C-alpha cells in the first residue's frame, strides 16, 4: 500500500485501482485477499480525499456506485444495465422544479412507491432464469429459488419474451402482523421482513412467508424497439400476467398535483406499505434524452408523503444497544424543533441505510418525523466531513465482536452480560406489556444498575434486602422506595403467561407461550422435562403455530445452563413459572375444534377475545392455518390465512355468524 502522505491525485488513483482490484476479487472470483474492515478503511480514505479534491475524482470511482446490499452466501450476477435508485422530492415545490426541467408538456406515470425490497427478474425466451437483488446496482445477489416461491409471479411467459422486469417484493400489513405475531414481534416492519426473507438460506422457509410482488418496469430483449411509452410497457406486463400495483395513471402535467393529492388521501387504505409516489416520464424517447446520473435517472422522481422535514447537521453518531444485542446507529444532531418537539437524535437504522444515504459525521441532513416516535435521517444534503460512517466491529459498550444474525440487516452484540443488554432486559421485563411492574422504568433501572443494586432479575427481586441502601442514595423518597418494593412483590402474582415472555428469550413471546400452555406445556418444569426427551423436537414441531425456528430456539433455552439457573432462582424467590388454571365453562360446544382468527372485529378487540371464548368453551386456538385447523374466524382486513383456509376447505365464519353461534349456544360475550 502506498504511504498516505503522497500527493492527493496520485493517492486517489492508487486507491481507486486498489479498491477496484479488491472488488473484482471479492465479487467476481469470490477470493478476497483483505478483511472487510481493511477494505472499509481504504474506501473511506478514498471518499474523504474525493470530497477534499473533487477535481481529481474519476467518473468511474468505486465510490460512485449505489449502496450495496450484497451478502456473501449468494452467487453474484452482473446486471445487464445498472440498477438505479430514485432521487427523492419532499414537497410539490421541489417536484415542480424537476417538472420544469423535464419539459412541461409531457405525460407522466404516477405510481405508488412500494416500500419493500427491489428485485430484477431476468426472463430468457419466456423462462424465468434469474432473480437478482439490486446489490451494488452493478452486481446483485442471485435469489432465484427464494423469489420463485412468491405466489402470482409468472415462471413462464405466454409471450415467450426475453425481458428484464423490475419490481418490488413486499408484504401486506395484515399478513405482516399475523406473521410477526407468530414470531414474537421480532420484525420491525414489513419492509425489513420482506428484505430479510428473500435473503433466507432455505427457499422452503421463504415459501412460508406471505411475500407478494408488484412489477413496475421492464427492459425488452433487443432494446426497447417499437415501444415508445411506459404505458405500453405496463400493458405488455399485464398481458404476460404480471402483478401490477393498483392505481397507476398516465396523466398530463397539469393534472399531476391534483392527482398527487388524491393519492395522498388514499395512501393509508392500500393495505400494502407505500413510502410515497413515483413520477416517471411516459415517453421513452424523452427519458433517453434526459439520461441519468450514476445514481438515479433524470426522468423520474420519488415524492415522499408527509415527511415533515427539517435540516440539521450530524454532530456525532452513537448507538442504541437493545436487549437482544441489536445495535442501532443514532445520529446526534444539532438540536432542531420538529413537529413541536426538540429533536437531538435521529435514527440511522443500520449500515445498509447509512450507505444508501451516504451519511456520516459533519453531513448536513434532512430529518423527518412521520408517524413514528423516533425521528429518522432521511436525506444527505451535503456530504459528511469524515466520510461515510462505518459501524464499529466491536460493541461500543462491552467490546465484544459484533455479528450479523441470520437474515438480519443489523449487527448484534452476542455478549449476554453486556451492560447495555442487561439494562434493557430489565427494562423490558418490567414494561407494561410484560410484567407491568409499576413505578419501575428506564430511569429507575439505570440507577439500580449503575449503583450495582440490581444488575439482573435475581437482584431485582432481592431489592427489598437493600431498602436502606436505596434510601441512603438520596435518589428516591421513602414513599417511592416503598412503592417500588411493593410493585416488585406484587408482580409475583403474575403467572407463566407473563413470566416466560418477560424473560425476553428469543422466540418465546406471548403468542408462543399461549400455544405451549394450550397444549399442556403450562410450566417451565414441563418444558424442561420435554426438552430432555429424545423426541422433543418432534413433539414441539407438532404444535400448531410453532415453526422450526421457534423449536430450535426453545430447545436451546431449555438446555442453556444460565437460563435454567436463572429460572430456578426466580422460582426460589417466589415467581410463578406455572400457568394458573383458567376458568373452564360447562358449556363446551367447541370441543374437538381448532380455531384460527384473521382480520379485525367490531365486538372483539383485541381479536384474541374471541379466541378466549372458544378456549373457555372447549375449543383450541391456533395461530396459523393448517390442515388440522377446523374453523377460521375472519373479519375485514383478513390476510393470507383466509386464502389458505379457502384452499384447504376449512369452515369460514364471519363475525355475524360467530355472534349468532354464541347466541345459539347461550354463551355470553
Ligand atoms: S422506479 C430507475 N417505481 O424505490 C427507476 N421504483 O428509491 C427505478 N420502488 O429501488 C425505480 N416502487 O425498489 C420505481 N413504482 C416504483 C417503485 C419503485 C418502489 C423502489 C425501488 C427503487 C426505490 C428507489
Amino acid at each position: 500500500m502506498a504511504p498516505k502522505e503522497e500527493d492527493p491525485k496520485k493517492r486517489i488513483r492508487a486507491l481507486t485501482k486498489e479498491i477496484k482490484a479488491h472488488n473484482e476479487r471479492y465479487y467476481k472470483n469470490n477470493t478476497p485477499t483483505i478483511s472487510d474492515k481493511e477494505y472499509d478503511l481504504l474506501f473511506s480514505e478514498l471518499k474523504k480525499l474525493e470530497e477534499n479534491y473533487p477535481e481529481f475524482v474519476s467518473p468511474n470511482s468505486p465510490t460512485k456506485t449505489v449502496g450495496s446490499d450484497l451478502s456473501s452466501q449468494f452467487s453474484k450476477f452482473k446486471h445487464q444495465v445498472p440498477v438505479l435508485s430514485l432521487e427523492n422530492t419532499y414537497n410539490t415545490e421541489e417536484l415542480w422544479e424537476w417538472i420544469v426541467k423535464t419539459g412541461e408538456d409531457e405525460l407522466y406515470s404516477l405510481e405508488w412507491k412500494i416500500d419493500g425490497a427491489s428485485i430484477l427478474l431476468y426472463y430468457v425466451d419466456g423462462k424465468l432464469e434469474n432473480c437478482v437483488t439490486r446489490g451494488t446496482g452493478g452486481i446483485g445477489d442471485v435469489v432465484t429459488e427464494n423469489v420463485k416461491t412468491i405466489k402470482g409471479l409468472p415462471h413462464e411467459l405466454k409471450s415467450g419474451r426475453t425481458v428484464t422486469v423490475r419490481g418490488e417484493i413486499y408484504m401486506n400489513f395484515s399478513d405482516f402482523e399475523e406473521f410477526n405475531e407468530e414470531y414474537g414481534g421480532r420484525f420491525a416492519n414489513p419492509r425489513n421482513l420482506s428484505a430479510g426473507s428473500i435473503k433466507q438460506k432455505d427457499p422452503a422457509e421463504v415459501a412460508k412467508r406471505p411475500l407478494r410482488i408488484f412489477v413496475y418496469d421492464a427492459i425488452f430483449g433487443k432494446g426497447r424497439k417499437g415501444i415508445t411509452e411506459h404505458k405500453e410497457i405496463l400493458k405488455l406486463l399485464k398481458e404476460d400476467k404480471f402483478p401490477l400495483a393498483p392505481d397507476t395513471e398516465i396523466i398530463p402535467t397539469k393534472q399531476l398535483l391534483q392527482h398527487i393529492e388524491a393519492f395522498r388521501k388514499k395512501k393509508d387504505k392500500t393495505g400494502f406499505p407505500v413510502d410515497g409516489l413515483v413520477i416517471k416520464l411516459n415517453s421513452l424517447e424523452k427519458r433517453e434524452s434526459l439520461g441519468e446520473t450514476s445514481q438515479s435517472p433524470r426522468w423520474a422522481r420519488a415524492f415522499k408523503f408527509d415527511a415533515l422535514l427539517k435540516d440539521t447537521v450530524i454532530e456525532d453518531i452513537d448507538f442504541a444497544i437493545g436487549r437482544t444485542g441489536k445495535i442501532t446507529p443514532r445520529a446526534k444532531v444539532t438540536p432542531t424543533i420538529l413537529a413541536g418537539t426538540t429533536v437531538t437524535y435521529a435514527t440511522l437504522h443500520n449500515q445498509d441505510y447509512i450507505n444508501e444515504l451516504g451519511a456520516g459525521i459533519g453531513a448536513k441532513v434532512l430529518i423527518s418525523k412521520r408517524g413514528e416516535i423516533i425521528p429518522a435521517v432521511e436525506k444527505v444534503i451535503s456530504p459528511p466531513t469524515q466520510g461515510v460512517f462505518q459501524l464499529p466491529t466491536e460493541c461500543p459498550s462491552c467490546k465484544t465482536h459484533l455479528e450479523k444474525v441470520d437474515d438480519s440487516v443489523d449487527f448484534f452484540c452476542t455478549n449476554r452480560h453486556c451492560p447495555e443488554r442487561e439494562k434493557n432486559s430489565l427494562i423490558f421485563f418490567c414494561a407494561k406489556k410484560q410484567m407491568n411492574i409499576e413505578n419501575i422504568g428506564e430511569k429507575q433501572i439505570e440507577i439500580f444498575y449503575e449503583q450495582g443494586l440490581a444488575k439482573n432479575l435475581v437482584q431485582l427481586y432481592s431489592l427489598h434486602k437493600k431498602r436502606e441502601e436505596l434510601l441512603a442514595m438520596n435518589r428516591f423518597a421513602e414513599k417511592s422506595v416503598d412503592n417500588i418494593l411493593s410493585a416488585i412483590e406484587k408482580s409475583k402474582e403474575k403467572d407463566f403467561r407473563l413470566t416466560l415472555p418477560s424473560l425476553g428469550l428469543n422466540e418465546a413471546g406471548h403468542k408462543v407461550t399461549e400455544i405451549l400452555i394450550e397444549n399442556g406445556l403450562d410450566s417451565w418444569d414441563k418444558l424442561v422435562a420435554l426438552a430432555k426427551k429424545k423426541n422433543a423436537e418432534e413433539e414441539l414441531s407438532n404444535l400448531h403455530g410453532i415453526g422450526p425456528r421457534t423449536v430450535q430456539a426453545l430447545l436451546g433455552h431449555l438446555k442453556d445452563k444460565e437460563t435454567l439457573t436463572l429460572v430456578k432462582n426466580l422460582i426460589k424467590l417466589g415467581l410463578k413459572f406455572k400457568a394458573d388454571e383458567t376458568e373452564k365453562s360447562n358449556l363446551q360446544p367447541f370441543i374437538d375444534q381448532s380455531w384460527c382468527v384473521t382480520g379485525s372485529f367490531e365486538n372483539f378487540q383485541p381479536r384474541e377475545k374471541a379466541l378466549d371464548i372458544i378456549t373457555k368453551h372447549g375449543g383450541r386456538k391456533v395461530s396459523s392455518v393448517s390442515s388440522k385447523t377446523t374453523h377460521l374466524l375472519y373479519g375485514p382486513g383478513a390476510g393470507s390465512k383466509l386464502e389458505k383456509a379457502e384452499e384447504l376447505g376449512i369452515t369460514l365464519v364471519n363475525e355475524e355468524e360467530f355472534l349468532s353461534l354464541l347466541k345459539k349456544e347461550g354463551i355470553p360475550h
Side-chain angles (χ1 to χ4, degrees):
M1 212 195 287
K4 289 191 183 178
E5 301 77 36
E6 240 177 345
D7 107 46
K9 189 174 173 186
K10 270 193 190 158
R11 181 70 187 145
I12 286 179
R13 256 206 236 139
L15 280 167
T16 304
K17 203 170 152 204
E18 194 175 349
I19 291 170
K20 279 191 176 171
H22 287 307
N23 283 349
E24 187 87 2
R25 280 195 283 272
Y26 182 88
Y27 294 121
K28 291 220 181 121
N29 317 329
N30 246 330
T31 53
T33 50
I34 55 167
S35 70
D36 287 359
K37 195 172 173 189
E38 286 167 306
Y39 178 90
D40 292 341
L41 279 174
L42 293 175
F43 199 89
S44 28
E45 191 192 341
L46 177 60
K47 250 199 123 150
K48 209 164 158 189
L49 278 170
E50 287 181 342
E51 273 152 26
N52 294 338
Y53 303 95
E55 63 274 30
F56 303 139
V57 178
S58 140
N60 296 323
S61 166
T63 61
K64 296 279 168 285
T65 49
V66 185
S68 159
D69 68 359
L70 295 171
S71 312
S72 53
Q73 77 200 55
F74 295 102
S75 52
K76 303 288 169 256
F77 184 97
K78 189 169 179 317
H79 288 298
Q80 286 166 4
V81 281
V83 185
L84 303 176
S85 190
L86 288 170
E87 193 167 314
N88 289 330
T89 57
Y90 292 90
N91 51 49
T92 46
E93 291 78 44
E94 233 183 305
L95 184 72
W96 211 252
E97 272 173 37
W98 171 72
I99 298 279
V100 171
K101 277 192 235 156
T102 58
E104 287 165 64
D105 288 329
E106 292 292 330
L107 285 175
Y108 294 86
S109 174
L110 185 57
E111 313 173 0
W112 290 118
K113 184 169 184 295
I114 304 124
D115 197 12
S118 203
I119 194 80
L120 276 293
L121 309 161
Y122 289 89
Y123 289 84
V124 178
D125 297 330
K127 273 190 72 180
L128 179 54
E129 298 222 320
N130 283 298
C131 305
V132 188
T133 66
R134 188 174 67 179
T136 60
I139 294 159
D141 282 327
V142 180
V143 289
T144 314
E145 294 315 309
N146 287 350
V147 175
K148 276 186 168 174
T149 66
I150 301 175
K151 268 204 223 142
L153 175 71
H155 294 190
E156 221 150 315
L157 306 180
K158 230 172 60 204
S159 66
R161 276 195 189 97
T162 293
V163 60
T164 305
V165 177
R166 187 164 176 188
E168 198 83 357
I169 293 171
Y170 71 97
M171 215 176 261
N172 272 351
F173 285 116
S174 55
D175 288 341
F176 168 74
E177 271 155 31
E178 282 176 5
F179 186 86
N180 202 21
E181 220 176 289
E182 280 170 40
Y183 277 73
R186 57 189 274 259
F187 300 102
N189 54 46
R191 181 201 164 161
N192 282 4
L193 180 53
S194 305
S197 294
I198 58 166
K199 295 266 186 130
Q200 287 280 314
K201 286 187 202 98
D202 180 8
E205 174 60 30
V206 186
K208 290 185 202 146
R209 303 185 171 203
L211 294 172
R212 297 175 192 246
I213 187 165
F214 281 138
V215 304
Y216 47 74
D217 198 7
I219 301 168
F220 293 94
K222 293 151 199 93
R224 297 195 195 229
K225 274 207 186 97
I227 306 168
T228 55
E229 291 175 76
H230 183 65
K231 193 171 158 184
E232 290 170 65
I233 297 180
L234 296 180
K235 188 165 161 262
L236 292 173
L237 288 172
K238 196 163 178 205
E239 282 169 8
D240 261 332
K241 303 254 178 308
F242 280 101
L244 300 182
D247 305 328
T248 299
E249 313 178 301
I250 310 286
I251 48 171
T253 322
K254 52 178 185 312
Q255 287 177 19
L256 258 178
L257 295 186
Q258 191 194 344
H259 285 235
I260 287 175
E261 274 322 295
F263 269 83
R264 191 200 294 276
K265 283 201 183 111
K266 56 185 178 191
K267 77 174 176 30
D268 297 321
K269 299 190 182 108
T270 54
F272 53 85
V274 293
D275 60 342
L277 297 174
V278 184
I279 298 122
K280 302 169 181 170
L281 267 170
N282 182 50
S283 154
L284 303 189
E285 198 189 326
K286 185 86 200 194
R287 285 188 187 183
E288 244 158 64
S289 74
L290 283 169
E292 40 226 21
T293 70
S294 64
Q295 313 268 344
S296 51
R298 292 195 186 90
W299 45 261
R301 284 292 182 272
F303 180 87
K304 297 272 196 155
F305 286 129
D306 289 347
L308 197 47
L309 291 162
K310 256 313 202 17
D311 57 325
T312 181
V313 172
I314 299 184
E315 293 180 348
D316 200 0
I317 294 177
D318 70 7
F319 312 91
I321 306 160
R323 108 194 119 80
T324 59
K326 186 171 124 183
I327 310 282
T328 309
R330 304 183 303 177
K332 189 171 183 298
V333 295
T334 309
T336 315
I337 295 177
L338 184 62
T341 52
T342 305
V343 175
T344 43
Y345 276 103
T347 183
L348 281 163
H349 300 297
N350 52 51
Q351 187 68 56
D352 288 2
Y353 188 75
I354 294 177
N355 292 348
E356 233 173 81
L357 292 179
I361 296 171
K364 193 165 173 202
V365 293
L366 288 179
I367 54 169
S368 84
K369 198 172 179 188
R370 284 176 252 165
E372 299 105 62
I373 308 149
I374 310 162
V377 176
E378 289 282 345
K379 188 176 182 171
V380 171
I381 317 172
S382 66
T385 48
Q386 302 179 25
V388 173
F389 187 77
Q390 285 297 321
L391 249 97
T393 51
E394 288 177 351
C395 171
S397 170
C398 69
K399 306 285 171 257
T400 301
H401 185 75
L402 298 180
E403 285 174 27
K404 270 199 177 187
V405 178
D406 297 336
D407 50 329
S408 174
V409 288
D410 304 298
F411 279 93
F412 288 81
C413 166
T414 52
N415 169 19
R416 50 170 114 171
H417 295 296
C418 168
E420 283 304 307
R421 288 189 62 180
E422 285 191 321
K423 263 187 254 175
N424 283 317
S425 300
L426 285 170
I427 294 168
F428 177 79
F429 184 89
C430 300
K432 217 179 185 124
K433 278 195 176 164
Q434 312 301 329
M435 294 293 273
N436 191 13
I437 309 187
E438 279 171 22
N439 310 309
I440 302 187
E442 226 174 299
K443 195 179 116 208
Q444 289 76 9
I445 296 287
E446 184 73 39
I447 298 175
F448 301 158
Y449 197 95
E450 294 312 330
Q451 299 296 321
L453 293 172
K455 293 199 170 219
N456 54 46
L457 289 176
V458 171
Q459 290 173 359
L460 184 78
Y461 277 92
S462 311
L463 211 55
H464 58 276
K465 294 183 192 156
K466 300 193 173 156
R467 187 172 181 276
E468 296 315 314
E469 283 172 61
L470 277 168
L471 286 171
M473 274 183 336
N474 277 333
R475 302 289 289 269
F476 306 107
E478 188 164 0
K479 180 103 180 98
S480 340
V481 169
D482 290 337
N483 285 342
I484 287 170
L485 295 178
S486 72
I488 295 176
E489 191 55 30
K490 192 155 182 281
S491 73
K492 291 182 185 168
E493 286 167 14
K494 305 266 161 74
D495 76 343
F496 196 47
R497 281 185 181 79
L498 283 165
T499 51
L500 179 60
S502 302
L503 293 180
L505 302 172
N506 170 28
E507 303 282 331
H510 293 280
K511 193 91 198 168
V512 167
T513 306
E514 266 314 317
I515 297 172
L516 295 173
I517 295 173
E518 271 163 30
N519 288 283
L521 293 164
D522 59 357
S523 72
W524 179 258
D525 289 346
K526 283 193 193 167
L527 285 175
V528 174
L530 171 77
K532 286 186 183 141
K533 290 189 8 198
K534 259 202 194 128
N535 62 345
E537 191 170 333
E538 199 190 330
E539 275 196 36
L540 279 173
S541 309
N542 283 338
L543 305 182
H544 291 316
I546 305 264
R549 195 195 283 256
T550 309
V551 172
Q552 290 316 320
L554 288 177
L555 290 176
H557 304 316
L558 294 163
K559 289 178 184 162
D560 176 65
K561 278 209 183 98
E562 224 170 292
T563 309
L564 290 170
T565 313
L566 170 70
V567 176
K568 203 168 110 199
N569 287 331
L570 291 177
I571 293 173
K572 265 195 211 154
L573 284 161
L575 274 90
K576 283 191 214 164
F577 273 83
K578 185 174 177 352
D580 291 340
E581 285 286 321
T582 43
E583 190 196 342
K584 281 248 184 255
S585 158
N586 291 332
L587 289 169
Q588 300 279 291
F590 298 117
I591 213 138
D592 287 337
Q593 297 179 359
S594 259
W595 285 68
C596 186
V597 66
T598 181
S600 59
F601 301 89
E602 224 172 89
N603 294 281
F604 307 99
Q605 284 171 6
R607 61 185 183 206
E608 275 60 36
K609 284 197 177 156
L611 291 183
D612 289 344
I613 297 179
I614 292 164
T615 47
K616 191 170 162 193
H617 297 281
R620 283 155 78 92
K621 58 177 179 186
V622 292
S623 55
S624 59
V625 171
S626 76
S627 57
K628 290 180 188 157
T629 315
T630 59
H631 294 74
L632 179 74
L633 177 60
Y634 69 99
S640 59
K641 283 180 183 171
L642 183 57
E643 281 165 34
K644 197 164 173 197
E646 273 170 341
E647 259 170 43
L648 293 171
I650 285 163
T651 310
L652 303 177
V653 181
N654 65 24
E655 184 167 13
E656 205 184 318
E657 290 160 344
F658 186 61
L659 288 169
S660 58
L661 185 69
L662 295 181
K663 199 167 163 202
K664 195 178 115 214
E665 298 293 344
I667 298 172
H669 69 86

